[in-house]
Amino acid sequence: MVVCGDDGLAHRLAAELRGVYREQVTLVVPPSGRRVRQPVVGRARAASAALRDMVNAAVNRTGNSDAAGGTGGTGGAGRELEATEPTEDVLADAGVERATALALVYDDDETNIRAALTARRLNPRLRLVLRLYNRRLGQHIEELLDQSAALASGGGPGSGSGSTTVLSDADTAAPALAATALVGTSKVVETDGLLLRAVERNPPRPGEVADPGLCTLALLSATSNDPAGADGSEDSGENGPQLLPDAAAVEAATGRGTVALEQVSYSGPPLPAGRTGVPAFGELFSRRLRWSLAGLAACVVALAVALMVVTGDHPLHATYVTLLDLFSINEPAHNADIGRQILQLLSGFVGLLLLPVLLAAVLEALGTFRSASTLRKPPRGLGGHVVLLGLGKIGTRVLTRLREMDIPVVCVEADPEARGMATARRLRVPVVLGDVTQEGVLEAAKIHRAHSLLALTSVDTTNLEAVLYARSVRSRLRVVLRLYDDDFATAVYRTLRAAHPRALTRSRSVTHLAAPSFAGAMMGRQILGAIPVERRVLLFAAVEVAGHPQLEGKTVGEAFRAGAWRVLALEVSDGERAAGADSPSEGARESRLVWELPDTYVLRGSDRVVLAATRRGLAELLGRRARQQSPG
């Protein structure tokens, strides 16, 4: 395996491949002097050790803060190369021509695309994994590289040529970050139209029967209410979270929350983007102006009725004459009776009042349309919203997720040219421009009335400082930090939780959330997504049954291994359905995925299934070394 990158995701991915999958990895990184994040990692690890000592002294607990789920091993051999850019010579020195897979996880999309084209030419059978932020461009690049591999190998797409997978760390981490900020909000993984929804449920009350949904994915940690709990680290033993428990474990667990797979169908379209740029009529004019226009219209109607009574004219003719008098374009009523003259004077007076009202309407409309294309300010009286710090790659994806769930958001960004500013304008989300470390910026975002705080800037110290200041304003504020180093994130989480036991605190490392998906794609599997369970990760993957003795020829019940993997759905062709389904409507006539498979269904070699698995379980099930061993 070859991993090329310039930030923490490359190091994390290499550790994942070595520690979990026991692969030989060649890591290509820039020289030490050009690694932008390397000094931050050093400071983070030093701070992690210091904070860990503080936590151990404060809460009188010991344990390993590794929340990676077993990625700290040193199983795989490997080497490290230093290169400024992944040129053809560098890729050749890294052994791309003999490699099984190559991951290009540079922060720049253009660098990854250029290196992918070069690597595909050097090795048409190479399995490529690219990190691209632009999703539309990623689809086209994936198709282009797959076609190039098929032509170079002299066969079609299924001739054993190399595959290409385009992933985004922002898309992988955004659902977890958005869900963590909201208690009771579903954790969602969506890829190619597939929607997986996992819901955290509180322990059932005495006498109540818990609804498992489609299946129970995990049992939450028994120390979830303990301020000094480890939040699901693997060394927490029986008190930690249990991923993919069997029925006996679920029944035996008392007083513990669960994570259930509750819904697997599309719940509705996202917010319409086309209508957000045009203000509604109620927002186009102020309330005072609307009342003024309504009063003038009532005056015109009253004058028309009075003229009809005085002169006996037809209602339409009386209205027409009244409008002529209103705009002062009618002949003076010198020879008319006194009633007609009075009505003409009153109509002229109303016309004088109409001019400033029309001018005000034009100015307000122009101002409203101009403000629709600019940044909005937080409205008065706003409360119960989410304050989002940072509109970079991760922040933009999280903002989109929150708005799809109709959650009010106020963003804070220091750079007016940030990547997510256009998205905030399109979604009409209030934005406060300013440095979050400066006094008054968080107050402008109504932090004292906010529901939660998402600190997603690219600087760890900025996120930590903002969270600490927000906690001084509101001690029970729910906070989620994006921290670069996972050990540092673990130490910060435990310290903040010990200091504020009654407030919800979560610290998340984007590399920790994204690395499993990249590692899984390098092993030759289609990773649909990942759902965090406390500080562990549950993966969803689409797997071919053929070649896996743990699945092929076994029933769904026999293929299930507690704590390792579980078959969730079966992908079938149109017109087919799984044996044992109650009716054809449950099969592929409505969807290509059959859910709620009976335990007696026998998995065939031609089947393709969607399964949930832990990282270690997926490595054991689908790793190359695991396939060479017997099922026992």
Side-chain angles (χ1 to χ4, degrees), residues 529-612:
I531 289 179
V533 180
E534 297 183 359
R535 298 202 64 81
R536 298 184 65 184
V537 176
L538 193 63
L539 300 177
F540 292 85
V543 178
E544 301 286 347
V545 175
H548 305 299
Q550 301 93 335
L551 301 177
E552 188 173 3
K554 298 183 180 297
T555 64
V556 173
E558 294 172 347
F560 169 58
R561 181 178 296 182
W565 62 76
R566 178 171 188 165
V567 176
L568 299 177
L570 173 69
E571 182 177 340
V572 294
S573 302
D574 293 337
E576 298 181 4
R577 65 187 181 94
D582 294 338
S583 64
S585 62
E586 296 181 5
R589 297 184 181 182
E590 295 183 358
S591 173
R592 291 182 57 84
L593 290 175
V594 179
W595 300 91
E596 296 184 305
L597 286 173
D599 291 339
T600 56
Y601 176 75
V602 180
L603 299 175
R604 300 168 296 180
S606 59
D607 289 339
R608 189 169 185 263
V609 296
V610 175
L611 53 84

Side-chain angles (χ1 to χ4, degrees), residues 163 166 175 216 267 289 320 385 423 441 506 517:
S163 63
V166 176
T216 300
S267 58
L289 185 59
Y320 173 69
H385 57 287
T423 302
V441 175
R506 290 293 184 268
S517 296

